Amino acid sequence: MSESTSTTAAVAGAATGTEQALRPHAENAFAAELAALAAADDRPRPARWNLSPWAVATYLLGGTLPDGTVVTPKYVGPRRIVEVAVTTLATDRALLLLGVPGTAKTWVSEHLAAAVSGDSTLLVQGTAGTPEEAIRYGWNYAQLLTHGPSRNALVPSPVMRAMAEGRIARVEELTRIPADVQDTLITILSEKTLPIPELGTETQAVRGFNLIATANDRDRGVNDLSSALRRRFNTVVLPLPATAEDEVDIVSRRVDQIGLSLDLPAAPQGADEIRRVVTVFRELRGGITEDGRTKVKSPSGTLSTAEAISVVTNGLALAAHFGDGVLRAGDVAAGILGAVVRDPAADRLVWQEYLETVVRERDGWKDFYRACREVSV
């Protein structure tokens, strides 16, 4: 088969769904669970919701259905937080998921949209360059120049489509969007309508529409929400994992999911290293050791759960391709160094002090200490 022929075949396969996506959308990856929940769900459902609020919460938090189907947890944390988030979407208030980086805001947002609407793809990714058109609508300029303003020339944004179809729209990193663009959401969220003055008409939201936004206030270069816009949201703060056990569980589950799509070894083979990575991150993040006896300095980075997942996944790839397939200290050492040392001067001193005063003296961590020392020199 020629190169051009194989490329064409690959594109065709992706278009027809015969090729496995690297990261399937939540509604595809967990289609069986969603279908089982829908079949077992006999509770009232808001207009255009695929599941009842109870079933949406069960989808996120996990559980066992009457037919024996096991619903895997998508979020490990306080149940009340999920219940408040779900019920917010059943009201006329939009939902703002707030938290430090790495607290699963995007993950929760995606799964909420998948469970409620069966579609998590109506997404606006917030950046410093996000234009107003990304939230409202744009134009097909070929059509516009040829025929003038018309519905055929209008290109609806994901938010506009969600309004017209009664679905959930998502806006990621809302505080990274310029303030004047953020405020285009005010009319949408308060009046539930999107004016189109060029056509002398509007798009009104139908029942089932709502919006989930995510934001954090730790990153530099963010734009604070105006008080008018913030009032349109019900804010739910997603905390860091409460315990080391919770965080180990989150990292293990997520690494298993990522590893499965990449044909990497199962994470339980490296359970000890996952616990070490989580312990290091929690101690440096909190400024004190697990036993509460030793204070340590914290580096400039956030050392989030998401970064721990990345470190372990990279370590598994090293173990699979350059080792014996079992996750060991040497596989995660370089990843930890990269996550901790963001400022080459200050953070390196913090890391070296932590290695010498905490890791070196810890029973059973000699191999970890040696591996970290080797990559830190």
Side-chain angles (χ1 to χ4, degrees):
M1 182 183 290
S2 68
E3 182 178 352
S4 60
T5 304
S6 62
T7 301
T8 302
V11 172
T16 58
T18 58
E19 292 291 331
Q20 183 180 3
L22 182 61
R23 188 193 182 284
H25 298 302
E27 58 271 23
N28 299 324
F30 297 93
E33 290 185 12
L34 289 168
L37 275 164
D41 186 14
D42 58 358
R43 304 196 182 198
R45 306 179 187 184
R48 293 186 176 82
W49 278 42
N50 288 0
L51 300 171
S52 69
W54 170 85
V56 173
T58 301
Y59 170 71
L60 262 79
L61 294 166
T64 301
L65 302 182
D67 65 358
T69 300
V70 176
V71 179
T72 57
K74 318 302 180 300
Y75 176 73
V76 178
R79 183 178 187 86
R80 202 59 175 174
I81 286 178
V82 173
E83 292 175 342
V84 170
V86 174
T87 52
T88 295
L89 295 176
T91 70
D92 64 347
R93 298 267 288 180
L95 173 64
L96 176 62
L97 298 176
L98 190 66
V100 300
T103 47
K105 299 183 296 296
T106 297
W107 183 250
V108 171
S109 166
E110 178 184 0
H111 283 283
L112 282 172
V116 171
S117 298
D119 184 0
S120 63
T121 65
L122 297 174
L123 170 68
V124 176
Q125 179 60 58
T127 70
T130 299
E132 187 176 307
E133 291 79 9
I135 294 176
R136 299 178 71 239
Y137 54 85
W139 297 98
N140 179 326
Y141 286 101
Q143 288 274 358
L144 188 65
L145 292 173
T146 304
H147 303 292
S150 67
R151 276 284 183 178
N152 289 336
L154 187 144
V155 179
S157 71
V159 176
M160 189 178 191
R161 285 180 54 202
M163 294 175 70
E165 298 170 10
R167 295 180 181 273
I168 301 294
R170 300 165 55 211
V171 179
E172 292 296 320
E173 301 290 356
L174 179 59
T175 50
R176 290 198 166 277
I177 298 175
D180 57 332
V181 178
Q182 289 177 10
D183 284 345
T184 60
L185 285 171
I186 292 177
T187 300
I188 293 171
L189 298 182
S190 60
E191 305 298 326
K192 301 299 188 287
T193 186
L194 178 54
I196 311 173
E198 296 90 341
L199 302 181
T201 185
E202 64 183 3
T203 292
Q204 287 190 306
V206 300
R207 292 185 65 188
F209 165 73
N210 213 325
L211 185 140
I212 307 172
T214 66
N216 75 74
D217 53 8
R218 287 282 186 92
D219 286 349
R220 298 173 182 174
V222 299
N223 302 290
D224 290 336
L225 302 183
S226 66
S227 58
L229 180 56
R230 188 176 283 272
R231 285 198 303 271
R232 269 67 182 183
F233 286 99
N234 186 30
T235 301
V236 172
V237 178
L238 297 185
L240 289 164
T243 66
E245 296 301 324
D246 284 347
E247 193 158 1
V248 168
D249 185 33
I250 293 168
V251 173
S252 298
R253 289 178 184 275
R254 190 71 187 105
V255 167
D256 279 346
Q257 292 167 353
I258 296 172
L260 189 63
S261 68
L262 299 176
D263 296 325
L264 296 177
Q269 295 183 12
D272 289 343
E273 301 311 324
I274 292 177
R275 179 167 293 281
R276 284 173 171 175
V277 171
V278 168
T279 299
V280 169
F281 274 38
R282 290 181 68 86
E283 290 182 337
L284 287 173
R285 192 168 65 212
I288 193 167
T289 55
E290 278 189 319
D291 56 13
R293 295 178 179 178
T294 307
K295 290 185 177 181
V296 298
K297 296 177 182 176
S298 296
S300 58
T302 56
L303 297 181
S304 67
T305 307
E307 289 170 295
I309 292 168
S310 178
V311 167
V312 175
T313 302
N314 187 69
L316 280 175
L318 282 171
H321 300 302
F322 299 100
D324 59 3
V326 177
L327 188 66
R328 303 185 191 282
D331 300 315
V332 298
I336 290 180
L337 178 66
V340 173
V341 181
R342 299 296 177 83
D343 182 325
D347 289 347
R348 187 171 291 277
L349 291 176
V350 170
W351 176 236
Q352 289 175 346
E353 182 177 324
Y354 176 77
L355 277 180
E356 299 302 326
T357 60
V358 177
V359 177
R360 184 179 182 180
E361 305 302 323
R362 186 164 277 162
D363 291 340
W365 282 47
K366 295 301 181 185
D367 58 331
F368 185 82
Y369 171 74
R370 288 193 296 270
C372 291
R373 283 286 298 169
E374 287 177 7
V375 298
S376 299
V377 175

